Amino acid sequence: MDYVIQQVLNAASIGGEYALLALGLAIVFSVMGLVNFAHGEIITIAGFTMYALFIFASPTSAWWLLPIGIAAAIAAAVTFERVAFRPVRNAPATTGLLTAFGVSIVVKNFFVSVVGATRPRAVPTPDWLGSQIVIGGVHIQTLQLLEAAVTAIALIALLALLRGTNIGLAMRAAAKDFNTVRLMGIRANQVVLAAFVISGLLAGLAAVFIMARRGAVDPFMGFSPVLKAFVAAVLGGFGSLTGAVVGGLALGVAEVLFQIVLPDKIAGYRDAFVFLLVGAVLILRPQGLFGRKYQFGDKEG
Amino acid sequence: MMAALQMRFGLGRQSFVGGFILAALVILIGLIVMAAAEKAQIRVANVFFVNLILVLGLQITMGNSNVANLGHITFTGVGAYVAGILVAPLAIKATGIPNAPFGLNTFELHFIPAAMIGVVIGTVLAFLTGLVLTRQTGIAYSIATLALLVIVHTVFTNWVDLTRGPIAFYGIPFKVNTVSLMLIAAACAIVARLFRDSRWGLQLRASGEDVLAAEASGVSVKRLRLVAWTLSGFVLSLGGVMYAYLVGTISPKSFYFDAVFLTLAMLILGGMRSASGAVVGAVIVTLGTELMRWLEGAPVIFGAKMPQIFGLTGFFLGVVIVLFMALRPDGLVGDEELDEMAKRLWRQRKARAAAGEDTGPETSS
Amino acid sequence: MLVVDRLSVAYGSIKAVREVSLRVEKGEIVALLGPNGAGKTSLISAIVGLVPSAGGKVELDGTDISRKRTEDIVRLGATVTPEGRKIFGDLTVGQNLRLGAAVRRDRDGIAADIEQMLTMFPILRERFASRAQTLSGGEQQQLAIARSMMSRPKLLMLDEPSLGLAPRLVEQIFGLITELRAKGLTLLVVEQNAYDALALADRAYIMNSGRLQFSGRSEDLLASDDLMEHYLGTGTGGHAGAPG
Ligand SMILES: Nc1ncnc2c1ncn2[C@@H]1O[C@H](COP(=O)(O)OP(=O)(O)OP(=O)(O)O)[C@@H](O)[C@H]1O
Ligand SMILES: [Mg+2]
C-alpha cells in the first residue's frame, strides 16, 4: 500500500511539473501561435538568479530564493516577448519557432560564457522542501506533496482567471481570433503580456521544484523538462489547455510506470520508451488527445 | 540521361546549369583551400564540407516543406555509427565493443561497402520514421522530429554493447580527404538544387504556403514531404559517414543539439529556400566561427573535431538567428538561387541599358 | 465625423482599395455598396487599422488615426461589427457582451447597457448563459451588433449585417439600424442588399474593383433605374445582385 501511494504521488508530482510547463507552452501558443522553444531557459534563468542571490546576497534563509526565482522567471518570459518575439508576432509559425530556438541558444551560451559549461553549481533550497512527512503511516516527501498541491492550485487559479476576468476571457477569445479581440478595444500587447506572465509564473513554480530536486544549476538544466513538456503538450493536442494538463499527467504516469516495469538493464531507455508510446498515440490521433484537427499549425481567423 | 531526368521530373536547363555552377563554386572553395591554406585551415575546410553536406540535407526537407526540422542530425548519427562500427578494425572492436551484438565484432568491412550500408540504413530509417512523422502537421511535426532525435540519442547512449554508450567510439580509419569531401559536397549541392526545382520540390514549396489548397488540388503534401524527408535522410546519413571517416572518433554528443543548432544556424543565415542559401550560410558561419575562435584566442585543436560552438561563439550565432528571423527571415539569399538572381539582375541591366539607348518609351523584353 | 482621404490597401501585389475618399457626418447613415471583392471589407478594415493602408489618410473627429492601432481607434469611438459576425464562440453570450465593454470602467454603466441590449434583443436574454456558438446565424448577428454597442461607439461600421439572414431578420436588423441612429449613433453600413440599405441610408458610396464609382444621395440612386442598373446591376424590381 505504502508503495502504491508512493508511486501515485511520484506520478502526480512529475506529471504536475510537466503539466505546469506544458500549460505555459499551450497558453502562449494558443494566444499568439508561438512555439516557445526558449521556455526551458526561463527555468535556467530562474535557477541562476537564485544562484546569484545565494552567492552575492547570501540570504540568511533559503526561503527568499523561492519568490525571487519565480519573479525572475516571470521577468524572463516577459523580456523574451518584448525583445525577441514581438518583432515576429505576425510571422509564420516556423519563424517564431526558430526565433525561440535562437533565444534559447543565446541564453544557454550566455550562462556558459559567464559560468562555464561543465560543473553544476549548488544552490540550497529550504530544508523542509527535502523533508518527509508521515500521514497515516505512509512516508511522503514534502516536495512531492507540495508539487501535486501547487499544480492543482495553479490550475484552479488559472481556470478562474480564464473564466472570470476580462483578460482571461480575452485570452480565450484571442486564441481563436485576435483581430476581433482588438476590435473590442482590448490591447493586443496586454493580452500577449498576460499570456507570457502566466507562462513565466507557471515555469517559475516548476523551476522552484526542479531546483529543490536537483539542488544545483547548470546552463542546460531547462532543456530536458521542457522537452518533456513539449511532448506532453503535443500528446494532449498542442494549444489545448486541457490537453496540456492531461498530457503532462499522462506523461508522468507513463514515466513512473516504465520506471517500475522496465528491467534495470534497459532502464536507461525509459525516455525512448515514453516518447515511442506518445508516438504510437499520435499515429492513432495525429491531432493529440484534445486537439482540434487544425491544419498545419494555423490558427482560425 | 539528363533528358530523361528533364522529362520525368520537370526539370529545366537552368536547374542543371545552376546546380553545376553551385557545385563548381563548392569545388572552387576546396581548390583554393588546398592551394593556399595551411594544415589547420585545411582541417577547417574539411569540417566545412561535412557541415555543408548536412546543411544541404536539411535544406531538402526544411527548405521545401517549410516546416522546422529539428531532428535531422539523427540520420547523420545513424550513418556515422553504422559505417564506423562496420569499418573499425577487429583489434579496436575487441577492446572497444567486445560484446557487440549481431557478431559485429567478428568482421570488418571495406570502407566503401560500410559506407553504403550506413547510408542505406540511414535512408531506410528516414523512410520508416517519415511514414509516421509526415502524418503530423506544423508544430507537432517539428516537435516529433525533436523527439526522434532524443529517442535515437537515448539509444546511442544506452546501447553500450554496440556504441560504447556515452564514451567515444574511436579507431575508425580515416578514409576521406579534402578532394573526396569537396566532390561529395558538390554532388549533394546538385541533388538539393535539382530536387528544389523538380516537380516535387515545386509542389512542396507551393504547398508550404497553403497546404489545404494544395491538398484540394490533388497534391498529396504528405507523400511529397515523405519524399523530401527520405532524400534528406539519404544526404544526412551520407554526411554522417563522411564525418566518421574524417574524424575517426564519434560519440552520441556529436549528433545532438550542437550539431542541430550549428547546421540550422547555417541554413537560416544563408536562406532555407534555396540550395545556394545552404552553401552561402555554411561558408559564412564557418568563417564567422573561425573568426570568433581566433578572436577568443582558442588553443590549437588536435584532430578535426566539429568546431565547438559553446560560449561567445554560440551566443553570437544565437543572436544572429534571432536577428535574421526578425529582419530577414528568408536569409541572405532569399527565394532565388544565386544563378537565378544573377540572371535576373543581368536582364534588368540589359533592359535598362536598352531603355537608355532609345529615348522612346520603355521597351519590355 | 469620419474623413477618408485617398486611402489605398494592398495585399502583396493585389491592390484591393485604390485611393478611395469618403466622409461620414455625425448622425448620418451612409451605405457602402459594391459587388463581391470590390474592396469594401478591406476599406473598413484599413479605417480601423486591422490591415495596414498603402497610402492615404483617415481622420476621426479631426484626429488623424491612419497610423493608430485598432485598439486605440476603438477607444476613440469608432468600431466595426465584422463580416461573418466573428462572435467569440467558446464564450457565453454574457461573456461576449462583457468583452464588448472591456475598455470601460463604469461598472454600473456596463450593467445598465447590458440590460438595455437584452431588452433590445430579447433572444440574448434567453440565451444569456449559452455558449455563443450555439446561437443561430441571426442570433449571432444580433449578438455581434450588441457586443459592438457595448463599447459605446460614436461611429459604428457594420460589415454586411444582413449576410445570410432570412428576409424577416434582415428587416429586423435594418429596423435596428434606424433605431440606433435615433439614439445618436453614426453608421457606415456595408451591404450587398442594395435596395434595403439605400432605403435607410442618407447617402451611399459604390465601390467596384477597389475604386469609388459613385457617391450621392440614396434617394437619387433609388429614383434612377439607370443609375441602379449601371452601378449595381439591379434594374426595376431587381434585388441585390452584382455585376460580374
Ligand atoms: N487577406 C487578404 N489577402 C489577399 N487578398 C485579399 C485579402 N483580403 C481580401 N483580399 C482581396 O482583396 C479584394 C477585396 O476584398 P474585400 O474583402 O475587401 O472585398 P469586399 O468588397 O468586402 O467583398 P465581399 O462583398 O465579398 O465581402 C478581393 O480581391 C480579395 O480577394
Ligand atoms: Mg466584405
Side-chain angles (χ1 to χ4, degrees):
Chain A
M1 193 57 210
D2 213 26
Y3 180 75
V4 174
I5 292 177
Q6 272 303 284
Q7 297 301 345
V8 168
L9 208 57
N10 245 337
S13 67
I14 296 175
E17 182 187 308
Y18 296 157
L20 288 177
L21 294 171
L23 207 49
L25 291 170
I27 282 187
V28 166
F29 180 77
S30 68
V31 168
M32 62 178 289
L34 174 86
V35 181
N36 189 3
F37 249 94
H39 203 60
E41 278 55 48
I42 296 174
I43 299 174
T44 313
I45 290 176
F48 271 98
T49 308
M50 290 161 78
Y51 171 67
L53 191 76
F54 169 66
I55 295 291
F56 296 118
S58 20
T60 45
S61 152
W63 242 113
W64 280 105
L65 297 180
L66 306 186
I68 301 262
I70 294 173
I74 295 173
V78 170
T79 311
F80 288 174
E81 192 277 320
R82 189 68 198 81
V83 175
F85 299 143
R86 196 170 291 184
V88 295
R89 192 183 287 174
N90 297 315
T94 307
T95 308
L97 185 149
L98 293 174
T99 303
F101 197 69
V103 169
S104 145
I105 288 158
V106 167
V107 173
K108 271 194 204 97
N109 284 291
F110 171 78
F111 287 119
V112 170
S113 307
V114 173
V115 300
T118 42
R119 196 160 51 87
R121 315 278 160 149
V123 180
T125 39
D127 292 336
W128 49 264
L129 269 180
S131 66
Q132 284 202 343
I133 50 176
V134 183
I135 299 177
V138 183
H139 289 265
I140 291 172
Q141 287 184 13
T142 315
L143 179 62
Q144 289 191 333
L145 198 63
L146 212 62
E147 211 163 352
V150 167
T151 306
I153 293 170
L155 291 185
I156 292 167
L158 183 62
L159 210 63
L161 180 90
L162 289 175
R163 297 208 159 169
T165 67
N166 274 354
I167 192 74
L169 293 174
M171 283 166 63
R172 282 167 65 197
K176 291 273 168 64
D177 181 355
F178 216 135
N179 274 345
T180 306
V181 171
R182 296 172 64 203
L183 274 178
M184 306 294 110
I186 299 167
R187 294 190 198 285
N189 283 344
Q190 264 171 23
V191 178
V192 171
L193 182 73
F196 274 91
V197 167
I198 291 172
S199 92
L201 171 67
L202 297 176
L205 290 172
V208 166
F209 293 127
I210 291 171
M211 290 299 297
R213 212 176 285 151
R214 296 169 45 113
V217 289
D218 73 73
F220 307 100
M221 62 184 286
F223 173 71
S224 165
V226 167
L227 179 68
K228 300 279 180 55
F230 265 114
V231 173
V234 170
L235 176 66
F238 212 90
S240 151
L241 303 187
T242 326
V245 174
V246 175
L249 292 176
L251 204 64
V253 170
E255 272 192 15
V256 169
L257 278 182
F258 277 119
Q259 193 88 53
I260 297 170
V261 301
L262 286 185
D264 277 351
K265 192 165 179 318
I266 52 169
Y269 292 104
R270 189 194 67 192
D271 285 356
F273 278 110
V274 173
F275 284 16
L276 282 174
L277 183 72
V278 171
V281 173
L282 291 179
I283 290 176
L284 300 174
R285 249 187 101 76
Q287 74 273 33
L289 297 174
F290 289 81
R292 282 177 295 126
K293 208 169 158 69
Y294 64 94
Q295 278 292 329
F296 290 77
D298 284 338
K299 298 210 294 178
E300 297 172 12
Chain B
M1 186 194 110
M2 222 175 256
L5 275 179
Q6 285 186 8
M7 288 289 291
R8 174 95 174 71
F9 299 106
L11 289 164
R13 222 191 75 201
Q14 168 132 23
S15 308
F16 288 95
V17 175
F20 282 115
I21 292 178
L22 199 60
L25 213 69
V26 172
I27 290 175
L28 187 69
I29 295 172
L31 293 179
I32 292 175
V33 171
M34 285 194 306
E38 295 164 22
K39 220 168 174 180
Q41 290 160 334
I42 290 188
R43 262 188 232 124
V44 172
N46 289 342
V47 174
F48 158 76
F49 285 124
V50 173
N51 281 333
L52 176 56
I53 297 171
L54 305 185
V55 179
L56 286 164
L58 177 61
Q59 193 275 332
I60 290 173
T61 144
M62 190 161 137
N64 294 302
S65 314
N66 209 15
V67 276
N69 179 351
L70 305 167
H72 57 285
I73 293 296
T74 309
F75 306 113
T76 309
V78 170
Y81 266 106
V82 170
I85 291 169
L86 288 176
V87 80
L90 281 177
I92 297 277
K93 291 195 218 185
T95 53
I97 45 170
N99 303 318
F102 318 123
L104 283 170
N105 52 350
T106 59
F107 64 93
E108 58 182 79
L109 285 185
H110 183 257
F111 77 96
I112 290 184
M116 278 160 45
I117 296 174
V119 172
V120 166
I121 292 186
T123 312
V124 168
L125 184 70
F127 175 74
L128 293 177
T129 52
L131 286 176
V132 179
L133 274 172
T134 48
R135 288 171 57 94
Q136 297 296 321
T137 53
I139 303 316
Y141 173 94
S142 300
I143 292 165
T145 60
L146 191 63
L148 175 67
L149 182 75
V150 175
I151 292 175
V152 174
H153 179 78
T154 312
V155 173
F156 287 156
T157 345
N158 284 286
W159 201 343
V160 179
D161 287 348
L162 180 68
T163 63
R164 303 195 74 213
I167 313 167
F169 183 89
Y170 59 87
I172 304 167
F174 304 104
K175 288 294 180 193
V176 290
N177 54 25
T178 311
V179 176
S180 47
L181 286 173
M182 130 191 130
L183 289 177
I184 288 177
C188 291
I190 296 179
V191 169
R193 173 63 198 268
L194 291 185
F195 181 75
R196 174 184 181 272
D197 288 358
S198 72
R199 195 158 45 223
W200 293 333
L202 268 171
Q203 288 177 341
L204 204 47
R205 276 185 295 144
S207 76
E209 311 295 326
D210 192 349
V211 175
L212 282 183
E215 295 269 2
S217 67
V219 175
S220 170
V221 176
K222 276 179 199 140
R223 263 241 296 290
L224 292 174
R225 285 189 173 176
L226 180 60
V227 172
W229 176 257
T230 310
L231 181 63
S232 118
F234 169 81
V235 173
L236 287 160
S237 41
L238 180 64
V241 174
M242 294 300 119
Y243 177 74
Y245 287 177
L246 173 69
V247 179
T249 304
I250 53 180
S251 67
K253 258 203 345 258
S254 324
F255 311 106
Y256 213 37
F257 276 91
D258 292 344
V260 169
F261 151 54
L262 181 66
T263 46
L264 206 54
M266 288 174 168
L267 188 60
I268 288 172
L269 191 111
M272 62 175 152
R273 299 182 70 80
S274 68
S276 312
V279 176
V280 169
V283 170
I284 291 182
V285 170
T286 304
L287 291 178
T289 46
E290 283 312 304
L291 184 70
M292 284 296 297
R293 205 194 315 284
W294 181 71
L295 287 176
E296 283 182 81
V300 184
I301 334 150
F302 292 98
K305 282 230 169 101
M306 280 279 188
Q308 279 275 314
I309 41 137
F310 281 141
L312 270 188
T313 315
F315 179 83
F316 280 114
L317 268 184
V319 171
V320 164
I321 293 187
V322 174
L323 285 180
F324 262 77
M325 281 296 127
L327 305 174
R328 213 181 149 82
D330 279 336
L332 289 173
V333 176
D335 262 340
E336 290 172 311
E337 295 281 355
L338 287 177
D339 55 295
E340 293 168 345
M341 200 185 295
K343 202 167 165 184
R344 178 173 54 82
L345 292 176
W346 175 247
R347 278 217 183 115
Q348 281 175 357
R349 232 189 79 174
K350 250 182 25 194
R352 232 180 293 127
E357 272 159 31
D358 45 67
T359 42
E362 266 179 57
T363 47
S364 59
S365 55
Chain C
M1 163 161 274
L2 177 74
V3 180
V4 176
D5 185 22
R6 281 167 296 170
L7 194 66
S8 298
V9 177
Y11 305 103
S13 59
I14 305 167
K15 293 206 167 55
V17 176
R18 303 163 190 251
E19 306 215 338
V20 169
S21 301
L22 57 80
R23 329 169 50 95
V24 181
E25 302 299 342
K26 188 164 173 12
E28 266 190 319
I29 299 180
V30 174
L32 179 59
L33 311 175
N36 289 119
K40 308 177 298 288
T41 300
S42 303
L43 177 64
I44 56 172
S45 301
I47 291 173
V48 290
L50 280 179
V51 300
S53 63
K57 200 171 148 191
V58 184
E59 272 182 18
L60 182 69
D61 282 335
T63 320
D64 184 354
I65 56 167
S66 337
R67 297 271 160 261
K68 283 200 191 310
R69 292 193 193 126
T70 304
E71 40 268 51
D72 295 322
I73 295 171
V74 172
R75 282 159 192 251
L76 284 174
T79 194
V80 169
T81 306
E83 193 174 8
R85 317 185 248 277
K86 302 277 176 69
I87 45 110
F88 303 127
D90 281 346
L91 309 187
T92 65
V93 169
Q95 288 170 332
N96 268 272
L97 292 176
R98 182 171 157 186
L99 271 192
V103 297
R104 291 168 55 187
R105 289 284 161 268
D106 54 328
R107 274 169 176 265
D108 298 344
I110 294 173
D113 278 7
I114 288 188
E115 186 50 41
Q116 199 185 2
M117 288 304 138
L118 297 183
T119 314
M120 202 182 279
F121 305 99
I123 187 68
L124 298 185
R125 191 189 297 279
E126 245 171 73
R127 306 294 305 276
F128 192 75
S130 318
R131 267 152 58 100
Q133 68 192 17
T134 63
L135 266 54
S136 78
E139 293 161 356
Q140 291 187 9
Q141 186 66 55
Q142 297 179 31
L143 175 58
I145 294 176
R147 187 183 59 181
S148 295
M149 293 302 297
M150 288 304 297
S151 68
R152 289 212 176 155
K154 294 182 285 189
L155 168 67
L156 177 60
M157 291 171 271
L158 296 168
D159 196 349
E160 308 216 16
S162 73
L163 189 73
L165 300 191
R168 204 176 47 78
L169 272 173
V170 175
E171 223 169 87
Q172 201 183 326
I173 295 283
F174 281 23
L176 173 75
I177 292 174
T178 329
E179 228 175 280
L180 292 176
R181 188 248 295 268
K183 290 201 169 118
L185 201 65
T186 308
L187 289 124
L188 178 64
V189 184
V190 171
E191 262 304 332
Q192 300 252 358
N193 224 332
Y195 272 94
D196 290 334
L198 287 171
L200 89 168
D202 304 308
R203 291 187 301 115
Y205 291 92
I206 301 176
M207 285 181 77
N208 201 344
S209 313
R211 288 206 171 77
L212 205 57
Q213 302 238 304
F214 172 91
S215 73
R217 292 172 3 125
S218 307
E219 297 157 15
D220 298 346
L221 255 179
L222 280 172
S224 159
D225 277 354
D226 282 354
L227 283 177
M228 289 301 283
E229 174 64 37
H230 184 246
Y231 289 116
L232 298 164
T234 52
T236 321
H239 240 231

